Amino acid sequence: MGLEINTLAIIPIMAQQHHPRAIEATTKYFLTQATAAAMILFASTTNAWLMGEWEIHQLSHPLATTTVMLALALKLGLAPVHFWLPEVLQGLELTTGLILSTWQKLAPFALMIQAAPTINSSLLVAIGLLSTLVGGWGGLNQTQLRKILAYSSIAHLGWMVLILQFAPSLTLLSLSLYIIMTSSAFLTLKTNNALTINTLATSWTKSPTLAALAALVLLSLGGLPPLSGFMPKWLILQELTKQGLPLSATLAAMTALLSLYFYLRLCYALTLTIYPNTLTATAPWRLNFTMITLPL
């Protein structure tokens, strides 16, 4: 019931632009969230019918636990049920996209953390690895920043689900840092008024300080070592090797390189390119150019 109230409350915020793209995104979001809520209701009813237990901590039937996990994955936008997230985020303005990427993840995550002990660990690891792979692969050929941030969200959530059953405290740490970094990314993009990589390339001339900050935030999201985004990844890889899952740790580390590639691409566009169609402060001679006439 709480999840449904949460969904219905954000629907008017998403549709406030009255633009066909925003309405389409809102409709897609509503349908996926309603489907996920129905699946959770179905799973809890099935568990009560077969096992006589209503509590989320007591989900003991495999059918109920798997259905709940898939429903929560659909709510969060985890692979393989992630298809709605980039499309929905692309249709929203940056502030609403920020709410969708951060605040809207908290309620399903609370349920997932409570249900995690009873869920099959192989399923959790598989969904986590698939999400990190899809999040890295999907963002490679994107030019729209909101879609890139959507794939980034899928990859980060994959890391959190990967470690959920072994160390829930690491999941919470990762979620907290993800919310801080994503908020910074959305707000810097909103201040720069940037929606594509091309507009990102012009932001250096508007405000160099803001562009440098945006580059640092993006590299932190990518998990580059000296920055804070590297910490949860490092701790998660360490915990996975402790739990005797070196192959999963290696695959997760390899997929992190995919994500890092498109963040580096964004940083390259942000800091090392000057967009050709703008008169920048680095070329003031263009502004006072006068014709010199030579006597015949």
Side-chain angles (χ1 to χ4, degrees), residues 284-290:
W285 52 269
R286 293 188 199 177
L287 301 175
N288 53 10
F289 185 79
T290 52

Side-chain angles (χ1 to χ4, degrees), residues 248-262:
S248 301
T250 309
L251 287 170
M254 295 297 278
T255 54
L257 292 175
L258 289 169
S259 299
L260 189 57
Y261 174 78
F262 64 75

Side-chain angles (χ1 to χ4, degrees), residues 86-292:
E87 295 296 321
V88 167
L89 210 57
Q90 181 58 30
L92 305 176
E93 59 176 15
L94 287 168
T95 317
T96 320
L98 167 61
I99 296 169
L100 190 72
S101 299
T102 54
W103 174 256
Q104 292 298 107
K105 303 268 191 266
L106 296 178
F109 239 99
L111 289 177
M112 196 180 275
I113 286 170
Q114 289 178 75
T118 57
I119 297 170
N120 183 4
S121 58
S122 305
L123 178 68
L124 278 172
V125 170
I127 285 178
L129 283 174
L130 191 61
S131 297
T132 56
L133 182 64
V134 165
W137 211 279
L140 289 179
N141 63 341
Q142 300 297 332
T143 56
Q144 297 287 337
L145 295 177
R146 284 168 291 183
K147 277 194 175 178
I148 287 175
L149 284 167
Y151 281 110
S152 152
S153 169
I154 295 166
H156 277 89
L157 290 169
W159 280 87
M160 293 173 214
V161 170
L162 194 58
I163 201 68
L164 183 58
Q165 217 166 33
F166 308 115
S169 54
L170 275 184
T171 300
L172 290 172
L173 171 72
S174 194
L175 181 63
S176 312
L177 277 168
Y178 163 73
I179 287 173
I180 293 165
M181 291 185 297
T182 305
S183 305
S184 311
F186 269 101
L187 293 171
T188 46
L189 293 178
K190 186 177 170 58
T191 315
N192 278 329
N193 202 17
L195 294 176
T196 61
I197 292 180
N198 282 350
T199 48
L200 201 64
T202 62
S203 61
W204 183 257
T205 54
K206 295 176 199 167
S207 170
T209 317
L210 206 59
L213 179 67
L216 279 173
V217 167
L218 289 168
L219 287 174
S220 187
L221 268 169
L224 205 66
L227 301 164
S228 56
F230 175 63
M231 181 174 66
K233 284 187 168 65
W234 184 23
L235 292 171
I236 286 169
L237 291 174
Q238 192 179 15
E239 185 63 34
L240 283 171
T241 45
K242 275 184 193 171
Q243 295 290 338
L245 294 167
L247 184 62
S248 301
T250 309
L251 287 170
M254 295 297 278
T255 54
L257 292 175
L258 289 169
S259 299
L260 189 57
Y261 174 78
F262 64 75
Y263 286 119
L264 283 170
R265 183 163 149 246
L266 288 181
C267 290
Y268 177 79
L270 195 61
T271 56
L272 297 175
T273 56
I274 293 175
Y275 201 55
N277 297 336
T278 53
L279 295 174
T280 65
T282 54
W285 52 269
R286 293 188 199 177
L287 301 175
N288 53 10
F289 185 79
T290 52
M291 290 291 289
I292 300 169

